[in-house]
């Protein structure tokens, strides 16, 4: 029996993780769950999976959640302390980090310090604080399993191989909903257009990140830290069918790839059950029905966010955290109609232009850079709209 805690159980990854847990009750047991909003769904999950601890992001939501969980034997808590208590709950063997954004930093760091293995979906953690997290993982001797489909594919394509034999990592990208939209139309696309991802059903923030291609930029940075590989050895290939989830090319010219239907349950299950494979209900792949798998280079001019991520990595230190913070603000603005789609990249670029990169020696310093990035991006976006 593996004891699991999920940070962000009401999100797209959280719900898929619980689906896998519920179809393998002999293997997995839920110890703690956390959520941001959506208290009704959270209460239903608590009723079904009976965690010992349930934590909500805002302490103000504790009374309402307590009311919704009337009659259930669970400790309800909240705020950063509550999330940390859930993340470090004694019995858990593995913590699934599925909060979106830099909000996942503190509870996930606490989980590592408490000796928990991590199944990592929350890529913003490695983008903002990759060096600190990889140090923590080594220091506390825990294992870090990628959940992001590309990184799971790379991880699987590296098994049984020596990392010194890697020539390059090739991350595939669907290209998102605007792959074939003319660049001059992007300034007028709607929120609904941007959320309409061709291959994956995901949370709103990552859906917009996929539309701007910032998601792939974040994933390049994530791959750099996870696989200890220089950014120059990480290529991005547009592969609109999302069947090959990523590849590793070795020095002998061999390329290892992982394929499958685009469904996050497969990489989640691999992280949960590693090194075993378990059933997931993912639709089997029938390559004979595919009209053709295609690949081409990304368009950095049409999708400046991808370029900004490479620029942030080249600057290093606090720049990726500031870029990530500006992206979180710009995406949130776009989602409420506060700026246009093309403003997103402009807000991020201007925030980065205003930032002088500096060393980050602790999670607190990362959080300070994150706050600076958010405030600056908010101000830039206000100026831009008025
Ligand atoms: P989501 O928005 O659907 O869910 C996010 C979860 O975090 C929810 O439970 C939400 O309540 C919680 N949350 C949000 N803000 C919070 C805060 N401030 N404090 C505490 N909890 C908070 O997001 P998602 O699509 O499930 O993505 C989660 C993470 O996984 C992201 O980092 C994303 O990039 C990554 N990821 C997602 C997918 C996918 O298919 N959805 C694929 C790969 C990677
Ligand atoms: Mg991905």
């Amino acid at each position: 029996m593996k004891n699991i805690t999920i940070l962000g159980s009401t999100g797209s990854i959280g719900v898929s993780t619980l689906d896998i847990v519920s179809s393998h009750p002999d293997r997995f047991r839920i110890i703690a769950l956390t959520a941001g909003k959506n208290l009704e769904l959270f209460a239903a999950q608590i009723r079904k999976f009976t965690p010992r601890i349930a934590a909500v992001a805002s302490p103000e939501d504790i009374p309402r959640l307590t009311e919704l969980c009337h009659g259930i034997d669970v400790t309800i808590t909240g705020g950063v302390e509550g999330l940390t208590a859930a993340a470090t709950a004694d019995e858990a063997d593995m913590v699934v980090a599925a909060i979106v954004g830099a909000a996942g930093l503190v509870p996930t760091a606490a989980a590592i310090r408490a000796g928990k293995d991590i199944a990592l979906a929350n890529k913003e953690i490695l983008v903002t604080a990759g060096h600190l997290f990889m140090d923590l993982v080594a220091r506390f001797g825990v294992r870090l399993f990628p959940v992001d489909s590309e990184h799971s594919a790379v991880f699987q394509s590296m098994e049984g191989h020596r990392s010194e034999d890697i020539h390059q990592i090739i991350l595939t990208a669907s290209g998102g909903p605007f792959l074939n939209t003319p660049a001059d139309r992007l300034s007028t696309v709607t929120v609904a257009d941007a959320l309409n991802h061709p291959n994956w059903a995901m949370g709103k923030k990552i859906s917009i990140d996929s539309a701007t291609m910032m998601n792939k930029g974040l994933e390049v940075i994530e791959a750099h830290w996870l696989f200890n590989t220089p950014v120059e050895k990480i290529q991005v290939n547009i592969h609109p069918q999302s069947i090959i989830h990523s590849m590793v090319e070795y020095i002998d010219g061999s390329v290892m790839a992982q394929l499958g239907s685009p469904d996050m349950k497969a990489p989640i299950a691999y992280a949960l059950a590693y090194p075993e494979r378990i059933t997931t209900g993912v639709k089997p792949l029938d390559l004979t029905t595919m009209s053709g798998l295609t690949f081409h280079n990304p368009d950095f001019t049409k999708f400046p966010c991808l370029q900004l991520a490479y620029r942030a990595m080249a600057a290093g230190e606090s720049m990726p955290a500031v870029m990530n913070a500006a992206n979180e603000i710009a995406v949130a603005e776009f989602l409420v109609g506060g700026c246009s789609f093309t403003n997103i990249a402009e807000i991020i670029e201007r925030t980065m232009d205003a930032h002088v990169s500096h060393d980050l020696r602790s999670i607190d310093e990362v959080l300070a850079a994150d706050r600076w990035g958010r405030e600056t991006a908010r101000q830039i976006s206000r100026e831009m709209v008025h």
Side-chain angles (χ1 to χ4, degrees):
M1 184 66 76
K2 193 180 247 179
N3 289 333
I4 309 273
T5 285
I6 306 176
L7 307 177
S9 67
T10 55
S12 163
I13 294 291
V15 167
S16 294
T17 306
L18 285 174
D19 273 354
I20 292 168
V21 167
S22 71
S23 50
H24 294 279
D26 49 324
R27 276 180 178 269
F28 305 120
R29 178 169 51 207
I30 294 295
I31 299 301
L33 297 176
T34 83
K37 297 288 169 195
N38 203 346
L39 301 186
E40 278 72 23
L41 173 60
F42 195 32
Q45 292 179 339
I46 295 167
R47 199 169 292 281
K48 178 166 178 194
F49 292 94
T50 61
R52 185 169 66 70
I53 305 186
V56 270
S58 323
E60 306 87 77
D61 287 329
I62 296 175
R64 174 83 183 122
L65 184 64
T66 308
E67 207 175 296
L68 289 168
C69 293
H70 181 73
I72 309 173
D73 181 18
V74 58
T75 301
I76 291 176
T77 169
V80 177
E81 279 158 38
L83 295 186
T84 302
T88 57
D90 271 353
E91 311 89 314
D93 304 303
M94 172 175 270
V95 170
V96 180
I99 290 174
V100 58
L105 275 168
V106 169
T108 308
I112 298 174
R113 289 200 177 93
K116 313 298 184 192
D117 286 338
I118 305 291
L120 185 81
N122 191 180
K123 62 191 81 180
E124 295 88 352
I125 287 176
L126 289 183
V127 171
T128 55
H131 62 302
L132 296 172
F133 268 79
M134 296 318 286
D135 280 355
L136 279 178
V137 164
R139 186 140 55 91
F140 288 89
V142 304
R143 295 214 57 179
L144 181 58
F145 298 100
V147 167
D148 215 341
S149 58
E150 295 77 1
H151 305 75
S152 178
V154 170
F155 178 61
Q156 294 180 55
S157 301
M158 282 171 53
E159 278 188 275
H161 300 276
R162 303 190 314 161
S163 53
E164 56 267 43
D165 295 339
I166 294 174
H167 176 60
Q168 64 172 348
I169 289 174
I170 303 163
L171 297 181
T172 53
S174 69
F178 302 134
L179 178 60
N180 300 312
T181 306
D184 60 4
R185 294 251 309 276
L186 288 179
S187 61
T188 55
V189 296
T190 65
V191 172
D193 295 334
L195 287 175
N196 188 21
H197 196 280
N199 306 341
W200 300 94
M202 309 178 286
K204 283 187 180 173
K205 193 259 179 184
I206 183 176
S207 296
I208 303 301
D209 286 348
S210 300
T212 61
M213 289 204 68
M214 176 56 91
N215 184 51
K216 211 47 57 179
L218 300 179
E219 290 184 354
V220 170
I221 303 176
E222 183 185 11
H224 161 75
W225 291 114
L226 273 175
F227 307 117
N228 189 21
T229 301
V231 170
E232 304 74 56
K233 286 188 159 197
I234 306 171
Q235 298 291 321
V236 173
N237 273 194
I238 305 292
H239 167 47
Q241 299 80 16
S242 298
I243 295 300
I244 294 187
H245 297 308
S246 280
M247 303 171 250
V248 179
E249 184 185 342
Y250 291 90
I251 49 174
D252 62 357
S254 290
V255 178
M256 307 299 293
Q258 187 258 343
L259 289 72
S261 297
D263 187 326
M264 288 306 296
K265 284 199 197 117
I268 293 169
Y270 196 63
L272 292 185
Y274 180 89
E276 294 175 36
R277 293 199 183 258
I278 57 176
T279 56
T280 56
V282 170
K283 190 166 155 250
L285 192 61
D286 180 359
L287 284 173
T288 63
T289 64
M290 312 258 144
S291 55
L293 301 183
T294 59
F295 304 88
H296 58 87
N297 287 321
D299 182 339
F300 287 95
T301 316
K302 181 171 155 190
F303 296 104
C305 284
L306 185 53
Q307 190 69 57
L308 289 173
Y310 278 98
R311 184 185 139 193
M313 266 315 277
E317 301 185 308
S318 53
M319 194 59 91
V322 164
M323 176 197 72
N324 178 72
N327 181 53
E328 290 195 32
I329 292 299
V331 169
E333 276 295 309
F334 173 69
L335 282 170
V336 297
C339 72
S340 75
F341 183 76
T342 43
N343 284 158
I344 296 174
E346 289 161 22
I347 292 169
I348 301 166
E349 182 167 20
R350 286 180 53 186
T351 306
M352 289 170 65
D353 287 346
H355 186 64
V356 181
S357 203
H358 56 81
D359 194 13
L360 296 174
R361 286 154 302 179
S362 66
I363 305 284
D364 281 343
E365 291 186 6
V366 175
L367 294 174
D370 175 74
R371 276 194 300 275
W372 184 91
R374 281 167 201 273
E375 278 158 27
T376 308
R378 265 195 213 101
Q379 199 171 330
I380 287 170
S381 106
R382 273 195 298 269
E383 287 164 13
M384 205 176 256
V385 175
H386 294 118

